[in-house]
Amino acid sequence: MLLLSIFCLFLQLHPSSQQFPRACATAEVLRTKQCCPVWEGDGSVCGARSGRGFCQDVVISDSPNGPQYPHSNIDDRERWPMVFYNRTCQCAGNFMGFSCGECTFGYFGVNCAERRESMRRNILQLSVTERQKFISYLNLAKNTISPDYVIVAGTYAEMNDGTNPMFADISVYDLFVWMHYYVSRDAFLGGPNNVWTDIDFAHESAAFLPWHRVYLLHWEHEIRKLTGDFNFTIPYWDWRDAQDCQVCTDELMGARSPLNPNLISPASVFSSWKVVCTQPEEYNSRAALCNGTGEGPLLRNPGNHDRSRVSRLPTSADVEFVINLTEYETDPMDRTANMSFRNALEGFASPETGRAVNGQSNMHNALHVFMNGSMSSVQGSANDPIFLLHHAFIDSIFEQWLRKHQPPRTHYPTENAPIGHNDGYYMVPFIPLYRNGDYFLSTKALGYEYAYLLDPGTAEVEVLPFSEFILTHLEQARQIWQWLLGAGILGALVAGIVMAAAALGWRKRRQRKKKMASVFGERQPLLNSSEEEGSTSYQTTL
């Protein structure tokens, strides 16, 4: 345990990376709008000296957006990232990152020339050691402040057009929570509670699946850098046909607290977590951004949700129907779209008819509502680590659809989608920059695979090495040792009583036989009887 603590302390000193580079969070950078940090590898801007990238103008798509958001020049996320930066590092080849100092997804090595495919696996099939490692990585990320990246804690107007920077430190895990909040928050129109709610740069339209695909890839990428474990992958929870929360155990994502059904069991590390960005009404009333301050414990009460909204968890038949829908997106490309694969998978359309429905949550949305806690609010849902397992499985269904239909990129909408969702729109709030349409492609091109997609016709079976087999059974024995001890003591008492009774009966029979032998004049003793009586080896060991 001491070694694990020292190891975690060491890892906390390892730099991680996130959304707003700390090097770009100064008044000077905001004034010049140029976020082109120096790559430490060669001391040049964007690693230009090594041919990794160059500082270039950001080119924004002018394709028209849909009518859902009728405003202009009101929100900092419009024409991302132009409000903050109009020049960033544009990386070449397999290089990536805010300074082009990292490798793009699927590539490794000093020069990013090593191609490798990572495997995402079912969390229920992981060994005890693998599960514990995953949970320890989550907790490490939750408690490690990012030394390289910060979050924006005020609007650009509040910063006096950048002359008064408003940024805040945040942990590696919570920054991803903040990113999910920031991309989906309401738009401030000026003054308390004066907001526009029909806006979301990552949900309710075409970018829902590509955005979350990049989100998970970035999260995975940062955990690898934080821990030094470049074999790490996010596991998934295959919830098809589940009757309850299969991952809500203390060995996994935390069981229900026996003291309060809305809280996590004290036996789980997640019971000590504090959530962030979960009070949208409060932020709207103050026309202020979430600043990453802890707001209370992680909440979850799976199954005690509004049954009229979610009657059951998604089934295998639901998934199959959705995958068979041929159109990725249909007009008007929002939550009212009919026969849209994206809308059906997101959960605004029925997985039985493909038509949009009101007042019900299906597929992806159903899991969020079912969890009945922090995960049930869009802006704060990433606080619950089950979010990662859930969205990894949603991403795998997206992948099944891509492989089945093999759509060309032209099937992704290039214009008239809600703001933030057109093909050429840069994903909010990522830096480095990613276009939506660039990630409308298979996981094979991005360097990862899902275990159950290797052979969809067979169940995933985990073959453990002997050491893991032993550890698994030792873990099971640890969980029931009190019962085993009690059963052992009781068994010993019962056995002792039985043997004592048997010995007493044997002695009585022997005495009766001796008495009868004396009466009938028997002189010859039973064979070896004298030797047996005098032998210490003739003792029962019970």
Side-chain angles (χ1 to χ4, degrees), residues 47-116:
R49 192 173 298 145
S50 301
R52 286 178 168 258
F54 302 92
C55 187
Q56 296 181 353
D57 292 341
V58 176
V59 179
I60 297 295
S61 170
D62 290 326
S63 298
N65 300 314
Q68 293 84 356
Y69 178 73
H71 305 285
S72 181
N73 298 321
I74 293 293
D75 194 287
D76 290 348
R77 299 166 296 180
E78 297 177 33
R79 295 168 56 83
W80 181 262
M82 297 298 280
V83 168
F84 295 97
Y85 314 113
N86 56 26
R87 286 175 64 83
T88 63
C89 288
Q90 306 294 309
C91 304
N94 300 329
F95 301 114
M96 186 184 75
F98 66 88
S99 65
C100 300
E102 300 168 6
C103 300
T104 192
F105 306 123
Y107 286 88
F108 299 83
V110 176
N111 296 313
C112 302
E114 178 187 347
R115 176 71 173 172
R116 191 190 311 170

Side-chain angles (χ1 to χ4, degrees), residues 99-265:
S99 65
C100 300
E102 300 168 6
C103 300
T104 192
F105 306 123
Y107 286 88
F108 299 83
V110 176
N111 296 313
C112 302
E114 178 187 347
R115 176 71 173 172
R116 191 190 311 170
E117 186 175 87
S118 302
M119 186 68 66
R120 290 183 182 171
R121 299 161 58 207
N122 190 332
I123 191 170
L124 299 178
Q125 301 295 337
L126 299 184
S127 68
V128 172
T129 300
E130 289 168 333
R131 294 178 183 184
Q132 292 174 343
K133 181 169 67 172
F134 174 59
I135 293 171
S136 69
Y137 285 1
L138 290 175
N139 201 46
L140 178 64
K142 181 72 172 180
N143 293 284
T144 303
I145 297 297
S146 172
D148 294 337
Y149 285 75
V150 292
I151 62 171
V152 61
T155 65
Y156 197 71
E158 288 179 305
M159 296 188 212
N160 194 22
D161 293 334
T163 59
N164 180 34
M166 297 175 64
F167 295 93
D169 291 332
I170 201 165
S171 75
V172 173
Y173 187 97
D174 284 347
L175 187 98
F176 279 96
V177 178
W178 181 90
M179 290 172 70
H180 198 264
Y181 147 79
Y182 188 78
V183 76
S184 58
R185 69 174 178 85
D186 298 333
F188 299 147
L189 302 181
N193 291 314
N194 185 17
V195 297
W196 186 265
T197 59
D198 195 8
I199 183 173
D200 193 314
F201 292 80
H203 302 84
E204 302 184 26
S205 193
F208 168 67
L209 294 168
W211 189 93
H212 283 86
R213 172 160 286 189
V214 171
Y215 181 81
L216 292 182
L217 282 167
H218 238 287
W219 201 94
E220 204 167 57
H221 182 72
E222 298 306 321
I223 290 295
R224 289 170 177 171
K225 291 165 56 180
L226 175 65
T227 63
D229 181 359
F230 288 91
N231 293 316
F232 169 78
T233 55
I234 297 173
Y236 59 86
W237 171 29
D238 185 345
W239 35 247
R240 288 174 296 184
D241 306 308
Q243 301 299 310
D244 54 21
C245 181
Q246 300 165 319
V247 297
C248 294
T249 66
D250 284 336
E251 290 71 36
L252 291 173
M253 315 316 290
R256 194 191 313 269
S257 171
L259 305 177
N260 185 333
N262 295 311
L263 299 179
I264 309 298
S265 164

Side-chain angles (χ1 to χ4, degrees), residues 505-536:
W506 180 78
R507 286 180 180 276
K508 287 182 178 180
R509 287 196 302 273
R510 184 174 179 79
Q511 290 172 357
R512 284 199 301 270
K513 287 181 178 181
K514 285 183 177 181
K515 184 175 181 180
M516 291 176 65
S518 63
V519 171
F520 291 99
E522 181 177 346
R523 297 290 185 264
Q524 180 65 32
L526 296 177
L527 189 64
N528 296 329
S529 63
S530 61
E531 294 180 4
E532 289 176 0
E533 288 176 353
S535 172
T536 57

